[in-house]
Amino acid sequence: MSSNGRHLPGAVIAAALATALALAPAAAAQGPAQASPTAAAAATTLVFDKNPNDPTNSRLSVYKGKKLWATYRAGSGLGTKDDCVRARGWMPNGSWKIKLKSRTYNGNIIKGYAVYLQDMKCAKGTLTRTEMFIHSEMNRDGSQGGTERRRWDGAGDYKSNGCVKLNPTDIKKMFRLLDRDDIGWPTHLRVVS
C-alpha cells in the first residue's frame, strides 16, 4: 500500500525490487562507510632534532601527522652535549609538555615570542631542568632591542642556556603556522638526537 492508502500496481513494486537488488552488489563491493578525514585528523607535533656535531645547528620541525610543514634552524645549549649541566647543556631528550605560549612573554631573561615547557629530569636523573623554553632574542613586543640579550646578531645567537632557540623571523613564522586552523598547536615538544 502507498502512504495514501491505495494499492500500488504490482509492476511498480516489482521494478523497485529489481532496482534495489541490482544496486546491492555495487554497494556491498564498496565496503563499510569510511570516517570523514576530520574525524581522524592527524595530530600536530613539534620535533627538536639535536645535531650532535653542532648543537647550535639543530632543527625544529612542525609535522601534521606524517606531513612535514616546516623546519627551522635552532640551537640548544652552549656546545656541551651533557643534558645534566644546568645553563650550558643541551635540552634532554623526551616529550616536553607545552605549558604556555605567548607573543608578549615578559620574563627576566626571555621576552616576546616564547613557548614555556614543563620541567624535566636530565638523562642521568641527577638534575631537573627548569625554566625551559622555545624562544629567541627580542623585546617583549617582538621587536629587536639594542642590547645583545634583545638583539639577534647572527649564527652565534643560536647558543642558549639549554632552551631551544630560534631566530626572531622563524619563531614568528612558527607561531603563525601553528595558529592556523588546519594545523593547530601541539600539546608537546618531542626532543630527539
Side-chain angles (χ1 to χ4, degrees):
M1 247 203 240
S2 71
S3 61
N4 65 5
R6 297 187 184 157
H7 290 281
L8 294 174
V12 173
I13 295 172
L17 183 58
T19 301
L21 290 173
L23 294 176
Q30 292 178 0
Q34 299 296 316
S36 70
T38 55
T44 299
T45 309
L46 276 178
V47 178
F48 179 56
D49 190 358
K50 300 183 296 189
N51 177 358
N53 296 323
D54 182 358
T56 65
N57 192 7
S58 298
R59 296 293 177 264
L60 179 65
S61 299
V62 177
Y63 291 89
K64 177 76 172 182
K66 294 181 180 181
K67 181 179 178 183
L68 175 64
W69 280 84
T71 298
Y72 310 102
R73 179 179 175 181
S76 180
L78 297 175
T80 180
K81 293 175 258 180
D82 185 348
D83 65 358
C84 291
V85 179
R86 185 181 308 279
R88 292 192 325 267
W90 66 1
M91 182 173 272
N93 288 356
S95 181
W96 294 74
K97 183 178 179 184
I98 294 174
K99 293 172 35 173
L100 171 82
K101 57 187 183 300
S102 174
R103 284 180 172 76
T104 57
Y105 193 79
N106 195 25
N108 290 333
I109 297 172
I110 296 166
K111 299 201 181 278
Y113 285 69
V115 179
Y116 190 14
L117 305 168
Q118 74 179 41
D119 297 345
M120 184 182 287
K121 287 196 178 288
C122 66
K124 299 174 200 162
T126 57
L127 177 75
T128 298
R129 298 297 295 271
T130 62
E131 302 291 322
M132 300 298 277
F133 290 83
I134 301 170
H135 70 95
S136 188
E137 290 183 0
M138 59 182 60
N139 292 321
R140 181 179 183 198
D141 66 359
S143 66
Q144 288 295 287
T147 64
E148 167 49 35
R149 190 179 277 185
R150 304 277 171 259
R151 182 186 66 242
W152 190 269
D153 296 313
D157 285 330
Y158 284 103
K159 292 180 178 178
S160 73
N161 291 344
C163 297
V164 175
K165 199 168 177 191
L166 299 168
N167 80 38
T169 301
D170 286 345
I171 198 166
K172 289 175 183 180
K173 285 180 186 176
M174 184 188 79
F175 266 72
R176 282 192 303 271
L177 178 63
L178 294 175
D179 281 342
R180 287 177 32 182
D181 290 337
D182 61 333
I183 304 292
W185 275 87
T187 59
H188 290 77
L189 164 70
R190 190 163 46 100
V191 178
V192 298
S193 59

